[in-house]
């Protein structure tokens, strides 16, 4: 009778693999796998074999259920969204492809700058040399006409090439693509981190998609139609991130690592960034833009004057000698101006200042979003991120925030030590 009761008890128990939840709870010790009453003889029950199996299974269950993130593969409630994972992998592939595209096109446009600079300077100096040689030959001699035509054609060609080069600004184009490659590589690392953490959500997919589209808009690949304006009327910070959504005013300050002291510190940092760092780079960007405009107009104007002067070299009309001087001097000056503009990469400098101002604007928006948004990052972690982005230690960050607060936002140093 005892054997039948034990057998019926064991047969009636459901011995299946325990379902593990994310919560720190322990499953029942009777929820054991791989125990069948029909395989355990009655004398084994008497000898305590069942008790040993119960102890081993209970130990296995307790060890397994201590993992917070363990879940059953077939569990629909806790398994990762396979469609979201596939989508974010597709975005990751597109981002990796864009990194290579922007890097290759950036190298190509940097080559444009070097090759066009060398070619135009060679053409300009050759035209000036021919114009000078023609002025030394007696008027009416056969070589004079050939030299005049050659030098005039060279100056006209240099003028047209300079107009195109100054319009597209190859050095600035190369800097745009370098920035795009760096930012896409940064986005690639963020997506890889999201995948490594597991369980990407639809929100992660949407955010990644919006960042990709914002970068495509900020740094376009084509030249025709969508190329960024190289000589804007106003200098504005570059914007390569999507508009950040805010859920509303935070109702509590003492949660998730935030407290009134940290919020006051972050507000002070925002004021320093706005009044010192961003303003300084916008000012420098304005100066670089004015210089670039002046050089972009001067270069083609000088080559055009040189073309006019060279066409009158050796002419019997009064002022023929001055025409030769105009051709030689204007051609030489055009070569100098072209070297200053494109050899000095003034357009690249303007783009660099604009991007730095955009970086500080992004930091402002990120800090303000964390200050007023209920879905904030951990306060201590966010403070460390801000300090790293500004190249400061936590103590230095707090010191400059305290100095800004005491002086009403007026400080002598910049918030960033990196730029």
């Amino acid at each position: 009778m005892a054997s039948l009761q034990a057998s019926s008890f064991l047969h009636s128990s459901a011995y299946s693999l325990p379902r593990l939840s994310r919560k720190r709870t322990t499953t029942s010790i009777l929820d054991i796998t791989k125990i069948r009453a029909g395989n355990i003889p009655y004398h084994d029950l008497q000898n305590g074999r069942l008790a040993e199996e119960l102890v081993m299974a209970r130990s296995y269950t307790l060890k397994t259920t201590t993992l917070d993130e363990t879940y059953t593969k077939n569990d629909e409630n806790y398994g990762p969204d396979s469609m979201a994972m596939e989508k974010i992998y597709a975005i990751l592939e597109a981002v990796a492809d864009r990194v290579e595209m922007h890097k290759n096109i950036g190298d190509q446009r940097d080559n444009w700058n070097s090759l066009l600079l060398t070619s135009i300077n060679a053409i300009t100096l050759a035209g000036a040399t021919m114009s000078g040689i023609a002025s030394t030959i007696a008027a009416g001699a056969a070589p004079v006409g050939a030299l005049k035509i050659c030098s005039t054609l060279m100056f006209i060609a240099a003028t047209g090439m300079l107009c195109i080069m100054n319009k597209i600004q190859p050095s600035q184009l190369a800097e745009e693509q370098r920035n795009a490659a760096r930012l896409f590589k940064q986005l690639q690392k963020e997506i890889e981190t999201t995948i490594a953490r597991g369980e990407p959500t639809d929100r992660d997919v949407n955010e990644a998609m919006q960042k990709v589209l914002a970068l495509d808009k900020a740094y376009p690949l084509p030249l025709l139609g969508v190329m960024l304006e190289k000589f804007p009327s106003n200098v504005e910070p570059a914007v390569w991130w999507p508009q950040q959504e805010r859920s509303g005013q935070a109702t509590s300050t003492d949660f998730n690592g935030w407290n009134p002291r940290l919020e006051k510190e972050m507000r002070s940092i925002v004021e320093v960034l706005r009044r010192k760092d961003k303003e300084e780079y916008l000012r420098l960007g304005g100066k670089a833009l004015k210089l670039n405009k002046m050089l972009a107009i001067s270069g083609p104007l000088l080559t055009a004057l040189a073309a006019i002067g060279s066409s009158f070299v050796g002419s019997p009309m009064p002022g023929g000698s001055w025409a030769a001087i105009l051709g030689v001097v204007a051609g030489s000056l055009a070569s100098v101006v072209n070297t200053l503009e494109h050899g000095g990469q003034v357009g690249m400098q303007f783009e660099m200042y604009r991007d730095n101002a955009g970086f500080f604007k992004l930091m402002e928006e990120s800090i303000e979003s964390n200050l007023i948004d209920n879905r904030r990052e951990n306060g201590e972690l966010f403070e460390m991120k801000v300090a790293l982005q500004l190249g400061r230690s936590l103590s230095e960050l707090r010191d400059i925030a305290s100095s800004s607060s005491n002086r009403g936002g007026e400080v002598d140093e910049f918030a960033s030590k990196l730029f």
Side-chain angles (χ1 to χ4, degrees):
M1 180 64 69
S3 175
L4 292 175
Q5 289 178 350
S7 177
S8 63
F9 166 74
L10 292 171
H11 277 294
S12 63
S13 301
Y15 299 108
S16 60
L17 184 66
R19 183 180 297 273
L20 306 180
S21 68
R22 296 174 179 272
K23 301 178 181 179
R24 293 183 179 273
T25 57
T26 304
T27 58
S28 172
I29 63 173
L30 293 179
D31 192 12
I32 310 166
T33 185
K34 298 181 180 179
I35 297 181
R36 302 286 183 182
N39 298 332
I40 304 178
Y42 177 68
H43 66 273
D44 286 339
L45 295 176
Q46 290 180 326
N47 294 335
R49 181 175 174 182
L50 179 59
E52 293 177 1
E53 295 283 350
L54 287 170
V55 171
M56 291 175 62
R58 180 176 182 274
S59 175
Y60 166 79
T61 304
L62 289 174
K63 288 180 181 178
T64 307
T65 53
T66 55
L67 298 175
D68 290 347
E69 299 299 324
T70 304
Y71 56 85
T72 305
K73 212 171 206 181
N74 297 326
D75 192 340
E76 297 180 357
N77 295 327
Y78 301 113
D81 188 345
S82 59
M83 182 54 66
M85 182 68 79
E86 291 180 7
K87 289 180 180 179
I88 205 162
Y89 266 116
I91 295 174
L92 179 61
E93 291 176 2
V95 169
D97 186 51
R98 278 171 170 79
V99 170
E100 291 300 320
M101 283 194 299
H102 284 283
K103 180 178 180 299
N104 294 338
I105 292 179
D107 293 340
Q108 177 199 57
R109 291 173 182 176
D110 189 45
N111 289 336
W112 284 2
N113 188 64
S114 301
L115 295 173
L116 286 172
L117 172 63
T118 304
S119 301
I120 293 174
N121 279 350
I123 293 172
T124 305
L125 292 176
T129 303
M130 289 183 180
S131 181
I133 294 173
S135 66
T136 62
I137 301 175
V144 174
L147 290 173
K148 286 171 55 177
I149 294 173
C150 288
S151 62
T152 303
L153 289 177
M154 283 186 173
F155 284 132
I156 292 174
T159 303
M161 293 173 68
L162 264 179
C163 289
I164 296 173
M165 190 176 183
N166 292 345
K167 176 65 177 178
I168 65 175
Q169 293 290 314
S171 65
Q172 188 172 344
L173 290 174
E175 180 67 14
E176 291 172 7
Q177 301 309 313
R178 282 192 289 265
N179 287 329
R182 178 181 62 85
L183 293 170
F184 270 115
K185 191 174 292 186
Q186 180 180 345
L187 178 58
Q188 181 182 1
K189 295 296 183 183
E190 291 178 4
I191 296 175
E192 288 174 352
T193 302
T194 301
I195 293 174
R197 289 176 177 173
E199 301 187 24
T201 63
D202 290 335
R203 181 183 173 188
D204 295 326
V205 173
N206 292 334
E207 287 182 355
M209 191 71 180
Q210 290 175 5
K211 288 180 180 179
V212 170
L213 296 177
L215 279 171
D216 286 340
K217 182 179 179 181
Y219 300 103
L221 288 170
L223 291 179
L224 300 178
V226 295
M227 183 180 69
L228 296 180
E229 177 60 44
K230 298 301 181 286
F231 301 99
S233 56
N234 296 317
V235 181
E236 298 290 340
V239 177
W240 60 82
W241 59 92
Q243 185 67 31
Q244 299 184 12
E245 297 181 0
R246 298 175 179 177
S247 60
Q249 184 71 27
T251 57
S252 175
T253 58
D254 294 307
F255 84 107
N256 197 22
W258 288 85
N259 53 63
R261 179 200 63 79
L262 181 57
E263 290 195 354
K264 183 179 179 181
E265 175 188 331
M266 289 295 108
R267 289 192 176 92
S268 299
I269 294 297
V270 168
E271 287 299 319
V272 177
L273 289 173
R274 182 179 293 118
R275 295 185 180 185
K276 293 288 292 185
D277 298 73
K278 187 175 76 173
E279 189 65 29
E280 176 68 11
Y281 278 104
L282 289 177
R283 184 183 67 82
L284 292 174
K287 288 187 175 182
L289 179 62
K290 290 179 181 178
L291 176 61
N292 202 25
K293 283 181 179 179
M294 182 185 69
L295 294 175
I297 295 172
S298 301
L301 180 61
L302 288 171
T303 53
L305 291 174
I308 295 172
S310 64
S311 65
F312 289 101
V313 171
S315 173
M317 297 174 57
S321 59
W322 287 104
I325 294 174
L326 178 62
V328 174
V329 173
S332 301
L333 287 177
S335 179
V336 173
V337 169
N338 189 34
T339 301
L340 287 175
E341 181 182 6
H342 299 290
Q345 299 190 359
V346 181
M348 182 274 290
Q349 295 290 332
F350 166 69
E351 182 64 24
M352 183 184 68
Y353 292 143
R354 198 175 71 91
D355 287 326
N356 288 344
F359 170 76
F360 294 121
K361 181 178 180 180
L362 175 60
M363 286 198 67
E364 288 179 27
E365 292 187 7
S366 179
I367 294 173
E368 290 173 348
S369 175
N370 275 274
L371 286 174
I372 69 174
D373 200 334
N374 282 319
R375 300 175 298 180
R376 304 192 269 195
E377 294 185 47
N378 180 272
E380 296 179 4
L381 176 61
F382 186 75
E383 182 185 23
M384 185 188 72
K385 286 182 179 180
V386 171
L388 288 173
Q389 289 175 333
L390 296 178
R392 292 181 176 272
S393 65
L394 290 175
S395 60
E396 291 176 336
L397 186 70
R398 291 164 186 164
D399 289 342
I400 192 172
S402 176
S403 176
S404 173
S405 179
N406 294 335
R407 299 183 183 181
E410 296 294 335
V411 292
D412 297 330
E413 59 179 327
F414 296 98
S416 175
K417 283 188 173 182
L418 293 179
F419 306 117

